[in-house]
Amino acid sequence: MDTQSLNTPLKIWVKEDFRLPNFRPVPLIMHLTPPDTAPELLYWNKLRDILPNLVEVCQFKDLEEAGSLVVTPNHYTDYFIARKFEPVREFNKKVLASGRRLVTFTFGMEYKGLPGETVFGQSTYRSQEDKTIPIPAWLYDLGDKVTPLAKPSIPTVGFVGNTEYPGRINSVMRYVPIPDSLVNQLAGSCTFNRNVSLRIRRVIARLVRKKTMKCLRAATNLKIHLVERNGDFFTLSAEERSRRRAEFIQSLLDNAYTVCMRGDNNDNHQMFEVMSAGRIPIIIDTNQRFPELGNQMKWEDISVIVPYAQLHRIGEIVQEFHDKMSEDGFAEVCRKSRLAYDNLMPHNFITRIVEDIKKLGV
């Protein structure tokens, strides 16, 4: 994409009554909302500073008023939570039928795009059938909490998160033996995950996470700190959420490595928080595609990647990664982890989104 093309604002059309007042909008229209004030969310304000030069937003009520490029203003996940997903999807079918371009953002939702729909999301697969364009999971920036960490003599590995999920199906399936080979196949299958309910996907999430915990505890060469939880975080009281959040952050800062793996969908939000704190993620690979890091960096440079089928070797794989680094080398990998996060922050990554949309020829 040439510089002149990026200097020309991308003109997008947004259906005004589809904007959800209590949810964060998609990155392309962030500059239409008030600035953030929470310390871990201040990075969004940098995006607001540069967006007016990249995007021109036009609002419409009826489709006949819209131009050639229609952008759905909120994430599909938010419409699902607000119980407005089906009306939005039906309208988007009309957008495509009219010959207009349609751009949507799913957040972490498992979603099979409509023919002609351009989808940006976090839940992705390394398969021909998945056309989702991978983008980072922007939640919090822990940069102000970053403290230097010396290379430990023994790899220190942390995890704080759910390994059990509520619901009758999970309760029943806990007693049904499922071969690891089948779990591996289902966890990384685009077709399976986009055609089953959340309750079924949570069975897969539990199996992946429980297997990971078991293999970590069996790895005698690692110093581990594992906190397994049950339940839905956002249904807890504000006080309990704050306590658990503090416990997660402390674990992240205390350990050189943090285990990151899929949950309800084939994505992982914690991985980006680990990077924001300048620590090293251990990615349990279930066939996910990640966004390019920039600066010619590769994910293998800043993270330990453990294929699910190789979980029984997790201690060995982490040790091999750890032993390759000197003390200075460890510090450099931590620095690169933070740098990669900086490259993926909204105010830096937004130009890639605009480039991808402009390649549509709008």
Side-chain angles (χ1 to χ4, degrees), residues 218-237:
T220 57
N221 64 306
L222 305 177
K223 183 179 179 181
I224 58 174
H225 174 259
L226 309 179
V227 178
E228 299 185 53
R229 293 175 175 158
N230 185 8
D232 291 311
F233 179 81
F234 291 103
T235 63
L236 301 170
S237 67

